[in-house]
Amino acid sequence: MAGRLLGRGMLAGCVAAALAFLFARIFGEPQVALAIAFEASRHAAEAAHHAGEPELVSRTVQASYGLLTAVVLYGTGFGGLFALVFAYAYGRLNLWSPRALALLLAGAGFLTVVLVPDLKYPPNPPAVGVHATLAFRTAAYFAMIGLSISVAAIATLIGQKITQTRGAWTGTLCGAGLFIALIALVQFGLPDVNEVPDGFPAVVLWRFREASIGMQLVLWGTMGLLFGALATPVLADRTAPSRR
């Protein structure tokens, strides 16, 4: 059963990644091009000095095959993980249908893996960020993801405990409130990063971050909807013999 769900999760992730690629190609790539143009204008002399050096990967490849490959690998990997989490949760949350549970998990994944970390360390286009701090920024971002997932797990467990004694409504509110409070403390405790160069267009930065969030929203939303539809027949087949 887990293997069948895993295959469907990877398929859902692959299809979701293809749609996310189209979204990024339409809304994200124009902002990347503007950011690169800004960077080139700042370093015109250096670019002219190195004009004869060949590009290892051209912008055409980066914006097409390169982007598509990266997004599909990302979506397929997360689709597989999503299916395993779904298989673990489905037997323990019997009140949820496969479609509803898939959407719930997709929303939780988007919240903890994408939205909360991006509120602290938002994605940046080219020309934003100092090369010397790349390792630090990467470590801080992944630390934020790990802490976000950990806080979500803690809030969920405590909310479930409260639900058993005070009811679902009180447990849900307490769990959500605890999540928000702990995330606020975590984000306050982690160091800030402010490396936007002077003169960088605010509109380009804002639209790039909008496109990045939108791309992830398309990916997780499609994955939740499609996986729920693909998993329903599999789970129906499993429960069918017990009903006869």
Side-chain angles (χ1 to χ4, degrees):
M1 182 60 61
R4 296 174 67 185
L5 290 176
L6 177 63
R8 284 160 174 77
M10 296 177 69
L11 176 61
C14 185
V15 174
L19 294 178
F21 164 76
L22 293 176
F23 184 94
R25 193 78 171 86
I26 296 172
F27 297 101
E29 279 301 318
Q31 312 312 317
V32 174
L34 291 173
I36 292 175
F38 173 84
E39 186 176 33
S41 66
R42 292 183 63 206
H43 304 286
E46 182 181 352
H49 178 71
H50 296 287
E53 297 182 0
E55 290 182 312
L56 295 178
V57 181
S58 67
R59 270 296 299 153
T60 302
V61 173
Q62 293 176 24
S64 56
Y65 302 109
L67 178 62
L68 177 61
T69 301
V71 172
V72 167
L73 290 176
Y74 176 89
T76 303
F78 266 102
L81 291 174
F82 183 84
L84 295 178
V85 173
F86 177 91
Y88 175 83
Y90 183 72
R92 293 162 177 79
L93 298 174
N94 295 324
L95 296 178
W96 294 89
S97 69
R99 294 175 185 268
L101 179 59
L103 282 177
L104 174 67
L105 293 178
F110 174 77
L111 176 67
T112 57
V113 178
V114 178
L115 184 59
V116 168
D118 282 3
L119 289 176
K120 179 64 178 180
Y121 302 114
N124 290 321
V128 176
V130 179
H131 181 72
T133 64
L134 177 60
F136 166 76
R137 288 183 282 116
T138 302
Y141 180 73
F142 280 102
M144 187 66 242
I145 293 177
L147 290 170
S148 176
I149 295 173
S150 300
V151 167
I154 293 171
T156 300
L157 291 174
I158 293 178
Q160 288 179 342
K161 292 293 184 181
I162 297 176
T163 296
Q164 295 173 1
T165 57
R166 299 296 183 89
W169 179 252
T170 302
T172 301
L173 288 180
C174 289
L178 179 62
F179 176 79
I180 294 173
L182 291 178
I183 284 296
L185 289 175
V186 167
Q187 294 203 350
F188 179 78
L190 288 175
D192 295 325
V193 175
N194 184 14
E195 298 180 351
V196 180
D198 294 335
F200 190 88
V203 173
V204 173
L205 181 63
W206 176 253
R207 288 179 178 172
F208 176 85
R209 290 174 174 175
E210 282 184 324
S212 299
I213 293 291
M215 174 184 169
Q216 293 284 352
L217 186 60
V218 170
L219 177 70
W220 286 91
T222 303
M223 188 163 56
L225 289 170
L226 183 57
F227 179 79
L230 294 174
T232 298
V234 176
L235 298 172
D237 292 341
R238 186 191 69 169
T239 56
S242 62
R243 296 175 181 174
R244 289 196 292 265

mmCIF file of all heavy atoms in Angstrom, residues 147-180:
data_model
loop_
_atom_site.group_PDB
_atom_site.id
_atom_site.type_symbol
_atom_site.label_atom_id
_atom_site.label_comp_id
_atom_site.label_asym_id
_atom_site.label_seq_id
_atom_site.Cartn_x
_atom_site.Cartn_y
_atom_site.Cartn_z
ATOM 1 N N LEU A 147 13.222 24.315 12.275
ATOM 2 C CA LEU A 147 12.522 24.830 13.455
ATOM 3 C C LEU A 147 11.029 24.983 13.193
ATOM 4 O O LEU A 147 10.207 24.731 14.082
ATOM 5 C CB LEU A 147 13.127 26.168 13.860
ATOM 6 C CG LEU A 147 14.545 26.101 14.447
ATOM 7 C CD1 LEU A 147 15.132 27.496 14.587
ATOM 8 C CD2 LEU A 147 14.525 25.382 15.795
ATOM 9 N N SER A 148 10.674 25.391 11.978
ATOM 10 C CA SER A 148 9.260 25.532 11.636
ATOM 11 C C SER A 148 8.538 24.192 11.710
ATOM 12 O O SER A 148 7.430 24.090 12.272
ATOM 13 C CB SER A 148 9.131 26.130 10.236
ATOM 14 O OG SER A 148 7.773 26.196 9.845
ATOM 15 N N ILE A 149 9.151 23.148 11.166
ATOM 16 C CA ILE A 149 8.544 21.820 11.218
ATOM 17 C C ILE A 149 8.456 21.324 12.656
ATOM 18 O O ILE A 149 7.437 20.751 13.073
ATOM 19 C CB ILE A 149 9.351 20.841 10.345
ATOM 20 C CG1 ILE A 149 9.270 21.249 8.869
ATOM 21 C CG2 ILE A 149 8.834 19.411 10.516
ATOM 22 C CD1 ILE A 149 10.163 20.437 7.963
ATOM 23 N N SER A 150 9.505 21.559 13.441
ATOM 24 C CA SER A 150 9.511 21.114 14.838
ATOM 25 C C SER A 150 8.428 21.825 15.647
ATOM 26 O O SER A 150 7.706 21.192 16.438
ATOM 27 C CB SER A 150 10.887 21.372 15.457
ATOM 28 O OG SER A 150 11.899 20.677 14.760
ATOM 29 N N VAL A 151 8.306 23.130 15.447
ATOM 30 C CA VAL A 151 7.282 23.888 16.166
ATOM 31 C C VAL A 151 5.888 23.419 15.762
ATOM 32 O O VAL A 151 4.987 23.291 16.611
ATOM 33 C CB VAL A 151 7.458 25.397 15.895
ATOM 34 C CG1 VAL A 151 6.236 26.177 16.369
ATOM 35 C CG2 VAL A 151 8.709 25.912 16.581
ATOM 36 N N ALA A 152 5.692 23.133 14.473
ATOM 37 C CA ALA A 152 4.388 22.638 14.022
ATOM 38 C C ALA A 152 4.057 21.305 14.670
ATOM 39 O O ALA A 152 2.909 21.058 15.081
ATOM 40 C CB ALA A 152 4.377 22.509 12.498
ATOM 41 N N ALA A 153 5.050 20.414 14.787
ATOM 42 C CA ALA A 153 4.815 19.109 15.428
ATOM 43 C C ALA A 153 4.469 19.288 16.899
ATOM 44 O O ALA A 153 3.539 18.634 17.415
ATOM 45 C CB ALA A 153 6.057 18.234 15.268
ATOM 46 N N ILE A 154 5.183 20.167 17.590
ATOM 47 C CA ILE A 154 4.911 20.399 19.008
ATOM 48 C C ILE A 154 3.513 20.984 19.193
ATOM 49 O O ILE A 154 2.736 20.535 20.060
ATOM 50 C CB ILE A 154 5.974 21.338 19.601
ATOM 51 C CG1 ILE A 154 7.335 20.646 19.623
ATOM 52 C CG2 ILE A 154 5.581 21.789 21.002
ATOM 53 C CD1 ILE A 154 8.484 21.568 19.992
ATOM 54 N N ALA A 155 3.169 21.970 18.394
ATOM 55 C CA ALA A 155 1.850 22.599 18.505
ATOM 56 C C ALA A 155 0.734 21.598 18.198
ATOM 57 O O ALA A 155 -0.327 21.612 18.846
ATOM 58 C CB ALA A 155 1.762 23.794 17.565
ATOM 59 N N THR A 156 0.954 20.716 17.222
ATOM 60 C CA THR A 156 -0.056 19.716 16.882
ATOM 61 C C THR A 156 -0.263 18.728 18.019
ATOM 62 O O THR A 156 -1.408 18.393 18.376
ATOM 63 C CB THR A 156 0.363 18.955 15.606
ATOM 64 O OG1 THR A 156 0.487 19.891 14.525
ATOM 65 C CG2 THR A 156 -0.669 17.901 15.236
ATOM 66 N N LEU A 157 0.823 18.250 18.607
ATOM 67 C CA LEU A 157 0.717 17.294 19.717
ATOM 68 C C LEU A 157 0.004 17.912 20.921
ATOM 69 O O LEU A 157 -0.874 17.284 21.531
ATOM 70 C CB LEU A 157 2.103 16.804 20.119
ATOM 71 C CG LEU A 157 2.823 15.910 19.101
ATOM 72 C CD1 LEU A 157 4.239 15.613 19.563
ATOM 73 C CD2 LEU A 157 2.051 14.612 18.877
ATOM 74 N N ILE A 158 0.361 19.137 21.253
ATOM 75 C CA ILE A 158 -0.283 19.795 22.392
ATOM 76 C C ILE A 158 -1.754 20.086 22.074
ATOM 77 O O ILE A 158 -2.639 19.928 22.929
ATOM 78 C CB ILE A 158 0.473 21.084 22.753
ATOM 79 C CG1 ILE A 158 1.859 20.731 23.284
ATOM 80 C CG2 ILE A 158 -0.311 21.905 23.778
ATOM 81 C CD1 ILE A 158 2.723 21.926 23.618
ATOM 82 N N GLY A 159 -2.035 20.494 20.840
ATOM 83 C CA GLY A 159 -3.425 20.713 20.452
ATOM 84 C C GLY A 159 -4.261 19.451 20.544
ATOM 85 O O GLY A 159 -5.427 19.495 20.966
ATOM 86 N N GLN A 160 -3.670 18.299 20.172
ATOM 87 C CA GLN A 160 -4.388 17.036 20.279
ATOM 88 C C GLN A 160 -4.663 16.675 21.742
ATOM 89 O O GLN A 160 -5.737 16.152 22.080
ATOM 90 C CB GLN A 160 -3.588 15.930 19.598
ATOM 91 C CG GLN A 160 -3.583 16.023 18.083
ATOM 92 C CD GLN A 160 -2.755 14.934 17.435
ATOM 93 O OE1 GLN A 160 -1.916 14.302 18.077
ATOM 94 N NE2 GLN A 160 -2.968 14.711 16.143
ATOM 95 N N LYS A 161 -3.700 16.938 22.610
ATOM 96 C CA LYS A 161 -3.905 16.658 24.035
ATOM 97 C C LYS A 161 -5.040 17.511 24.600
ATOM 98 O O LYS A 161 -5.884 17.026 25.372
ATOM 99 C CB LYS A 161 -2.611 16.936 24.807
ATOM 100 C CG LYS A 161 -1.470 15.976 24.495
ATOM 101 C CD LYS A 161 -1.776 14.571 24.990
ATOM 102 C CE LYS A 161 -0.583 13.646 24.760
ATOM 103 N NZ LYS A 161 -0.871 12.260 25.211
ATOM 104 N N ILE A 162 -5.073 18.788 24.219
ATOM 105 C CA ILE A 162 -6.136 19.667 24.699
ATOM 106 C C ILE A 162 -7.480 19.251 24.111
ATOM 107 O O ILE A 162 -8.524 19.327 24.780
ATOM 108 C CB ILE A 162 -5.803 21.129 24.342
ATOM 109 C CG1 ILE A 162 -4.528 21.567 25.059
ATOM 110 C CG2 ILE A 162 -6.964 22.049 24.695
ATOM 111 C CD1 ILE A 162 -4.057 22.955 24.699
ATOM 112 N N THR A 163 -7.483 18.779 22.869
ATOM 113 C CA THR A 163 -8.719 18.334 22.236
ATOM 114 C C THR A 163 -9.367 17.191 23.013
ATOM 115 O O THR A 163 -10.596 17.119 23.115
ATOM 116 C CB THR A 163 -8.435 17.884 20.789
ATOM 117 O OG1 THR A 163 -7.976 19.023 20.040
ATOM 118 C CG2 THR A 163 -9.680 17.316 20.127
ATOM 119 N N GLN A 164 -8.562 16.316 23.549
ATOM 120 C CA GLN A 164 -9.092 15.165 24.286
ATOM 121 C C GLN A 164 -9.839 15.568 25.550
ATOM 122 O O GLN A 164 -10.723 14.849 26.011
ATOM 123 C CB GLN A 164 -7.945 14.212 24.642
ATOM 124 C CG GLN A 164 -7.289 13.571 23.430
ATOM 125 C CD GLN A 164 -6.051 12.768 23.786
ATOM 126 O OE1 GLN A 164 -5.675 12.656 24.969
ATOM 127 N NE2 GLN A 164 -5.403 12.194 22.788
ATOM 128 N N THR A 165 -9.494 16.706 26.120
ATOM 129 C CA THR A 165 -10.137 17.138 27.370
ATOM 130 C C THR A 165 -11.077 18.333 27.186
ATOM 131 O O THR A 165 -12.083 18.443 27.881
ATOM 132 C CB THR A 165 -9.070 17.518 28.409
ATOM 133 O OG1 THR A 165 -8.224 18.545 27.868
ATOM 134 C CG2 THR A 165 -8.212 16.298 28.745
ATOM 135 N N ARG A 166 -10.776 19.216 26.233
ATOM 136 C CA ARG A 166 -11.560 20.446 26.079
ATOM 137 C C ARG A 166 -12.342 20.529 24.784
ATOM 138 O O ARG A 166 -13.072 21.499 24.587
ATOM 139 C CB ARG A 166 -10.632 21.664 26.179
ATOM 140 C CG ARG A 166 -9.896 21.787 27.508
ATOM 141 C CD ARG A 166 -10.863 22.006 28.659
ATOM 142 N NE ARG A 166 -10.169 22.196 29.918
ATOM 143 C CZ ARG A 166 -9.759 23.358 30.388
ATOM 144 N NH1 ARG A 166 -9.985 24.451 29.681
ATOM 145 N NH2 ARG A 166 -9.141 23.451 31.541
ATOM 146 N N GLY A 167 -12.176 19.580 23.890
ATOM 147 C CA GLY A 167 -12.903 19.618 22.629
ATOM 148 C C GLY A 167 -12.040 20.081 21.473
ATOM 149 O O GLY A 167 -10.976 20.686 21.655
ATOM 150 N N ALA A 168 -12.525 19.783 20.242
ATOM 151 C CA ALA A 168 -11.742 20.055 19.038
ATOM 152 C C ALA A 168 -11.532 21.549 18.811
ATOM 153 O O ALA A 168 -10.446 21.976 18.393
ATOM 154 C CB ALA A 168 -12.431 19.433 17.823
ATOM 155 N N TRP A 169 -12.562 22.360 19.060
ATOM 156 C CA TRP A 169 -12.444 23.790 18.800
ATOM 157 C C TRP A 169 -11.374 24.428 19.685
ATOM 158 O O TRP A 169 -10.505 25.151 19.204
ATOM 159 C CB TRP A 169 -13.791 24.462 19.032
ATOM 160 C CG TRP A 169 -13.786 25.948 18.812
ATOM 161 C CD1 TRP A 169 -13.870 26.922 19.766
ATOM 162 C CD2 TRP A 169 -13.676 26.638 17.558
ATOM 163 N NE1 TRP A 169 -13.830 28.174 19.194
ATOM 164 C CE2 TRP A 169 -13.717 28.025 17.840
ATOM 165 C CE3 TRP A 169 -13.557 26.222 16.235
ATOM 166 C CZ2 TRP A 169 -13.632 28.991 16.844
ATOM 167 C CZ3 TRP A 169 -13.471 27.186 15.242
ATOM 168 C CH2 TRP A 169 -13.511 28.541 15.549
ATOM 169 N N THR A 170 -11.422 24.126 20.982
ATOM 170 C CA THR A 170 -10.433 24.682 21.912
ATOM 171 C C THR A 170 -9.040 24.154 21.594
ATOM 172 O O THR A 170 -8.053 24.911 21.620
ATOM 173 C CB THR A 170 -10.813 24.329 23.361
ATOM 174 O OG1 THR A 170 -12.118 24.836 23.639
ATOM 175 C CG2 THR A 170 -9.818 24.935 24.338
ATOM 176 N N GLY A 171 -8.950 22.871 21.287
ATOM 177 C CA GLY A 171 -7.648 22.295 20.968
ATOM 178 C C GLY A 171 -7.036 22.901 19.720
ATOM 179 O O GLY A 171 -5.825 23.175 19.665
ATOM 180 N N THR A 172 -7.861 23.132 18.703
ATOM 181 C CA THR A 172 -7.363 23.736 17.461
ATOM 182 C C THR A 172 -6.879 25.157 17.698
ATOM 183 O O THR A 172 -5.805 25.557 17.212
ATOM 184 C CB THR A 172 -8.456 23.722 16.389
ATOM 185 O OG1 THR A 172 -8.862 22.374 16.139
ATOM 186 C CG2 THR A 172 -7.956 24.339 15.091
ATOM 187 N N LEU A 173 -7.664 25.951 18.429
ATOM 188 C CA LEU A 173 -7.265 27.332 18.698
ATOM 189 C C LEU A 173 -5.991 27.395 19.532
ATOM 190 O O LEU A 173 -5.095 28.211 19.259
ATOM 191 C CB LEU A 173 -8.395 28.065 19.428
ATOM 192 C CG LEU A 173 -9.638 28.401 18.593
ATOM 193 C CD1 LEU A 173 -10.670 29.114 19.459
ATOM 194 C CD2 LEU A 173 -9.266 29.268 17.397
ATOM 195 N N CYS A 174 -5.893 26.535 20.539
ATOM 196 C CA CYS A 174 -4.698 26.540 21.386
ATOM 197 C C CYS A 174 -3.461 26.102 20.595
ATOM 198 O O CYS A 174 -2.380 26.687 20.736
ATOM 199 C CB CYS A 174 -4.903 25.621 22.588
ATOM 200 S SG CYS A 174 -6.087 26.247 23.802
ATOM 201 N N GLY A 175 -3.629 25.079 19.757
ATOM 202 C CA GLY A 175 -2.507 24.629 18.940
ATOM 203 C C GLY A 175 -2.051 25.706 17.961
ATOM 204 O O GLY A 175 -0.851 25.946 17.804
ATOM 205 N N ALA A 176 -3.014 26.375 17.317
ATOM 206 C CA ALA A 176 -2.669 27.437 16.371
ATOM 207 C C ALA A 176 -2.006 28.618 17.080
ATOM 208 O O ALA A 176 -1.018 29.177 16.597
ATOM 209 C CB ALA A 176 -3.915 27.899 15.623
ATOM 210 N N GLY A 177 -2.545 28.985 18.226
ATOM 211 C CA GLY A 177 -1.959 30.089 18.983
ATOM 212 C C GLY A 177 -0.548 29.781 19.451
ATOM 213 O O GLY A 177 0.342 30.636 19.397
ATOM 214 N N LEU A 178 -0.336 28.543 19.894
ATOM 215 C CA LEU A 178 1.005 28.143 20.327
ATOM 216 C C LEU A 178 1.979 28.165 19.154
ATOM 217 O O LEU A 178 3.132 28.606 19.301
ATOM 218 C CB LEU A 178 0.942 26.744 20.947
ATOM 219 C CG LEU A 178 2.274 26.161 21.430
ATOM 220 C CD1 LEU A 178 2.869 27.029 22.532
ATOM 221 C CD2 LEU A 178 2.088 24.730 21.916
ATOM 222 N N PHE A 179 1.530 27.715 17.993
ATOM 223 C CA PHE A 179 2.394 27.721 16.802
ATOM 224 C C PHE A 179 2.814 29.147 16.456
ATOM 225 O O PHE A 179 3.999 29.415 16.210
ATOM 226 C CB PHE A 179 1.654 27.078 15.633
ATOM 227 C CG PHE A 179 2.406 27.122 14.339
ATOM 228 C CD1 PHE A 179 3.433 26.225 14.085
ATOM 229 C CD2 PHE A 179 2.097 28.063 13.363
ATOM 230 C CE1 PHE A 179 4.144 26.266 12.893
ATOM 231 C CE2 PHE A 179 2.792 28.116 12.162
ATOM 232 C CZ PHE A 179 3.820 27.209 11.935
ATOM 233 N N ILE A 180 1.859 30.065 16.443
ATOM 234 C CA ILE A 180 2.168 31.448 16.096
ATOM 235 C C ILE A 180 3.127 32.057 17.113
ATOM 236 O O ILE A 180 4.093 32.752 16.754
ATOM 237 C CB ILE A 180 0.871 32.271 16.006
ATOM 238 C CG1 ILE A 180 0.017 31.776 14.828
ATOM 239 C CG2 ILE A 180 1.174 33.758 15.855
ATOM 240 C CD1 ILE A 180 -1.356 32.403 14.759
#
